[in-house]
Amino acid sequence: MLNRLKAILTDFIQQADLVLLGLCCIATLYGIVLVFSATRYMDPATGLRRMIIQTAALGLGIVVYIFFSMLDLESITRKWKWLLAFNVGFILLLVTPFGHGAEQTGNNAWLKFPGIPFNIGPAEVVKISFVLLLAKQIEWLWEEKEDLKSFRSAVFVALHTFGLCGLYFLVSGDMGNALVFVFIFLCMAFVAGFALRWFLLFFAVGGGAFALAWKFDLIYGYMKKRFIVLFDHSFDVQGAAWQQNRSLLAIGSGGFYGQGYLNGNLTQSGSWSLPAKQTDLIFAVTGEELGLIGCVAVMVLLTAIIFRVLLVARRAKTPFYRYVCVGMASILIFQTVINIGMCLFVMPTIGITLPFFSYGGSSVVTLYMAMGVVSGIKKRSPEMRRVARSPLR
């Protein structure tokens, strides 16, 4: 058993993407430091407890990264029916007594199991298995010599995406994570070579549907307000615009160097002064206490991680592996752009956290799961690997 474990760890060190793991760990450690500052206003013990939880999530994430680096994705996706059943079943758990969420928005996007000290977001896990399924679906079309530019192929892939996305939104009411599925689909379909006309049709139909839903009040009132405040920052300043106005104030007050770690006026005040500071607005905490330099460091780290994933995609040995890497990168891209844009008041507030930085144990672990999948693809790419065979293959 010990020899087996030693062989696995040796193989991991020799073949896995240690650069990607290192970047992820640096980003998470940076995030842990920010989470402590964002939560110590309650009391130092609370900040320390959140810091310990996030550190434990990092440790578990590294274990998960190693495990998923060893998996044979092609063998897993051959059992695609089980993966699809898992996605649907895991989402439907939200309608059981285990599901709960925010009463003020009606969202029901979390699972709480007895004995587990943290909540689990089904969307975080399902995004990864969805990427694998969608990549398998596109690969099947390619192997069957289907014309990826045809209407039939576009509909075939879109039905899978919007079926799962629609189910998740109906069950949870969580628009933010529902949109992540759509963005994954668009990125993977674009890389696969689907015709540009179908993307134009999608945006035209989507835009028209949004306009009609807006006109006939089919969009929740709080969601409409979140879009209105983007164009009129003075609208509902005590409600829909409150969170983002406070975020802008915090970032602006930080200047170039920031007010100093643990010294931010809004960060170290009550939650009313800067709400959701350890989750949605962790970037605002960075701006206030560490200034422009701290914000640039966050963006550089996330950009480096994304580029590393795309580098593995470029050198992947099969189209399937390439699609998977692009799907994982699209998760990071969407969450990074939306979260930072939300803090800068140029994107609507839709409850999207900043990858690796925001507080949340399940989010951190699933991100390392996704990056572990990418690391496993790197191992199996002839141009990037150094040893021929994994002990688990």
Side-chain angles (χ1 to χ4, degrees), residues 73-88:
L73 298 181
E74 292 175 333
S75 296
I76 293 174
T77 53
R78 289 191 194 104
K79 304 183 187 300
W80 61 270
K81 293 180 181 178
W82 288 102
L83 272 178
L84 182 60
F86 168 80
N87 286 350
V88 174

Side-chain angles (χ1 to χ4, degrees), residues 30-43 46-47 50 54 242-244 246-248 250-251 259 261-289 298 339 342-343 349 352-354 356-360:
Y30 190 179
I32 289 171
V33 171
L34 294 171
V35 166
F36 175 74
S37 179
T39 55
R40 71 184 290 273
Y41 72 92
M42 304 174 187
D43 62 76
T46 299
R50 298 281 177 90
Q54 201 77 343
W242 172 260
Q243 182 170 322
Q244 289 171 293
R246 305 306 288 178
S247 175
L248 269 185
I251 294 173
Q259 297 178 12
Y261 183 62
L262 304 180
N263 290 311
N265 290 331
L266 297 180
T267 299
Q268 302 307 320
S269 301
S271 59
W272 57 269
S273 60
L274 185 62
K277 61 183 78 175
Q278 72 270 24
T279 52
D280 293 2
L281 299 186
I282 196 73
F283 189 75
V285 172
T286 311
E288 182 179 45
E289 296 199 337
V298 169
N339 181 272
M342 189 171 65
C343 291
T349 303
I352 292 292
T353 55
L354 191 62
F356 300 105
F357 288 89
S358 294
Y359 176 75

Side-chain angles (χ1 to χ4, degrees), residues 143-191:
E143 289 178 344
E144 293 297 315
K145 303 295 189 289
E146 293 283 345
D147 182 8
L148 293 181
K149 297 183 182 296
S150 69
F151 180 73
R152 175 184 172 184
S153 295
V155 170
F156 182 57
V157 177
L159 284 176
H160 173 202
T161 301
F162 291 102
L164 192 69
C165 172
L167 174 67
Y168 176 75
F169 180 71
L170 288 174
V171 168
S172 68
D174 178 9
M175 180 178 68
N177 276 307
L179 290 175
V180 177
F181 291 105
V182 178
F183 189 75
I184 292 170
F185 157 71
L186 291 174
C187 291
M188 293 176 67
F190 178 78
V191 170

Side-chain angles (χ1 to χ4, degrees), residues 158 162 182 185-186 196-208:
F162 291 102
V182 178
F185 157 71
L186 291 174
L196 181 60
R197 60 181 176 273
W198 304 132
F199 292 96
L200 296 175
L201 178 63
F202 166 79
F203 287 115
V205 172

Side-chain angles (χ1 to χ4, degrees), residues 11-187:
D11 173 75
F12 172 78
I13 293 172
Q14 291 178 339
Q15 298 189 76
D17 197 335
L18 298 181
V19 173
L20 179 60
L21 178 60
L23 289 169
C24 294
C25 288
I26 293 171
T28 308
L29 288 170
Y30 190 179
I32 289 171
V33 171
L34 294 171
V35 166
F36 175 74
S37 179
T39 55
R40 71 184 290 273
Y41 72 92
M42 304 174 187
D43 62 76
T46 299
L48 183 60
R49 183 173 63 85
R50 298 281 177 90
M51 191 176 182
I52 291 172
I53 291 174
Q54 201 77 343
T55 303
L58 169 59
L60 181 57
I62 293 173
V63 174
V64 168
Y65 184 97
I66 295 172
F67 177 76
F68 274 80
S69 292
M70 302 294 176
L71 293 183
D72 183 354
L73 298 181
E74 292 175 333
S75 296
I76 293 174
T77 53
R78 289 191 194 104
K79 304 183 187 300
W80 61 270
K81 293 180 181 178
W82 288 102
L83 272 178
L84 182 60
F86 168 80
N87 286 350
V88 174
F90 204 41
I91 289 173
L92 289 178
L93 281 177
L94 290 171
V95 299
T96 69
F98 298 119
H100 76 103
E103 294 182 2
Q104 65 269 27
T105 62
N107 288 357
N108 186 52
W110 296 93
L111 295 171
K112 187 172 181 61
F113 296 105
I116 298 179
F118 54 85
N119 298 331
I120 298 174
E124 303 291 343
V125 180
V126 170
K127 279 183 283 192
I128 297 172
S129 49
F130 170 70
V131 167
L132 298 180
L133 275 176
L134 195 60
K136 184 66 176 178
Q137 189 176 23
I138 296 173
E139 181 195 46
W140 180 84
L141 289 171
W142 183 76
E143 289 178 344
E144 293 297 315
K145 303 295 189 289
E146 293 283 345
D147 182 8
L148 293 181
K149 297 183 182 296
S150 69
F151 180 73
R152 175 184 172 184
S153 295
V155 170
F156 182 57
V157 177
L159 284 176
H160 173 202
T161 301
F162 291 102
L164 192 69
C165 172
L167 174 67
Y168 176 75
F169 180 71
L170 288 174
V171 168
S172 68
D174 178 9
M175 180 178 68
N177 276 307
L179 290 175
V180 177
F181 291 105
V182 178
F183 189 75
I184 292 170
F185 157 71
L186 291 174
C187 291

